[in-house]
Amino acid sequence: MEKVRYSDLLPWEFRERLAAKPVAYLPLGTLEWHGEHLPLGSDAIQSEGLMIECARRFGGIVMPPIHLGPDRAWERSGGEVLQGMDYADSTDPHRQLDGSCYWASDGFFGVLVDAILEQIKRAGFKMVFADGHGPSRRAWREAMPERKKRFGLVLAGVTDEVAKEWKSQMDHAAKNETSLVMHYREDLVDIGRLDEDRSVWPQGVGGEDPRDASGEYGRECMERSVEIVGRLIGESGV
């Protein structure tokens, strides 16, 4: 298999790939509960898997995934702010399990991504495509215009222009994400953890029934998204 991960490359391999196509892919994925049937690292498994495929087809280098992301905050009746998913009595479809959420403030996440972009630019890349974990996707997309000016890089992501066509990580632990993880890492999926009774909806799942998932459907979703990334790279002129 062709090596495309930054961390796997020997220096001469890195130089060759960078010279051929100076595109960096940045997988955004926290550690987060995705139902009882999917691994905690599902977000990064999907985003990195997609980007490895893109790099092999279009060139470029896949950066190490960021296993940390911004997330939401909730407030209890007493006014206490609960950050991320660090609570057990919420009505939110996510459920906190030990070690299942790596959360950071938007500000910290922004500083982290800025530092990575600075190094990416210094290394000689000209374009960065980033995507993955939902709140991370939002944060990346919102900051793109300002970062383009500040870093002088071509930046791309799942913006409004492509969002309607995009098919990767479009639900939470439901048919789409379950199918994608099945495609990339079938060995990590345990559908048997879901109730066979279709009237019992799996906790923490948002979207179509994950019991209808398949690796083949995951491959179809991946192919559609890979096609979009290829188009973005082509339009960039990099």
Side-chain angles (χ1 to χ4, degrees), residues 4 29 33 38 44 48 53 56 65 85 112 115 123 131 135 138 145 154 184 189 198 208 228 230 234:
V4 297
W33 193 68
L38 291 180
E48 185 182 35
E53 190 66 31
R56 287 176 175 156
M85 299 169 190
L112 175 62
D131 189 57
R138 168 194 56 77
V154 176
Y184 297 123
V189 181
R198 290 293 184 118
E208 297 181 66
I228 293 170

Side-chain angles (χ1 to χ4, degrees), residues 54-117:
C54 290
R56 287 176 175 156
R57 295 191 193 186
F58 313 126
I61 296 171
V62 181
M63 305 297 293
I66 301 178
H67 283 103
L68 184 72
D71 221 313
R72 296 155 291 181
W74 294 268
E75 186 174 317
R76 279 194 180 138
S77 57
E80 178 188 358
V81 174
L82 298 165
Q83 298 174 331
M85 299 169 190
D86 190 19
Y87 60 102
D89 58 351
S90 170
T91 57
D92 187 89
H94 298 78
R95 184 181 71 180
Q96 168 67 12
L97 297 180
D98 289 343
S100 69
C101 184
Y102 267 32
W103 176 88
S105 67
D106 281 9
F108 181 86
F109 183 74
V111 170
L112 175 62
V113 173
D114 280 352
I116 292 171
L117 290 177

Side-chain angles (χ1 to χ4, degrees), residues 98-170:
D98 289 343
S100 69
C101 184
Y102 267 32
W103 176 88
S105 67
D106 281 9
F108 181 86
F109 183 74
V111 170
L112 175 62
V113 173
D114 280 352
I116 292 171
L117 290 177
E118 188 64 46
Q119 301 306 314
I120 282 175
K121 181 178 180 179
R122 185 175 64 86
F125 289 97
K126 304 298 182 185
M127 178 179 180
V128 183
F129 175 83
D131 189 57
H133 173 240
S136 302
R137 172 186 289 168
R138 168 194 56 77
W140 170 259
R141 184 172 58 188
E142 291 175 355
M144 275 174 52
E146 185 275 332
R147 283 188 172 131
K148 285 180 181 179
K149 296 178 182 178
R150 181 153 46 100
F151 290 100
L153 293 165
V154 176
L155 303 181
V158 184
T159 59
D160 291 339
E161 290 77 15
V162 301
K164 290 182 179 179
E165 305 174 71
W166 192 254
K167 298 298 182 183
S168 182
Q169 295 178 260
M170 297 304 292

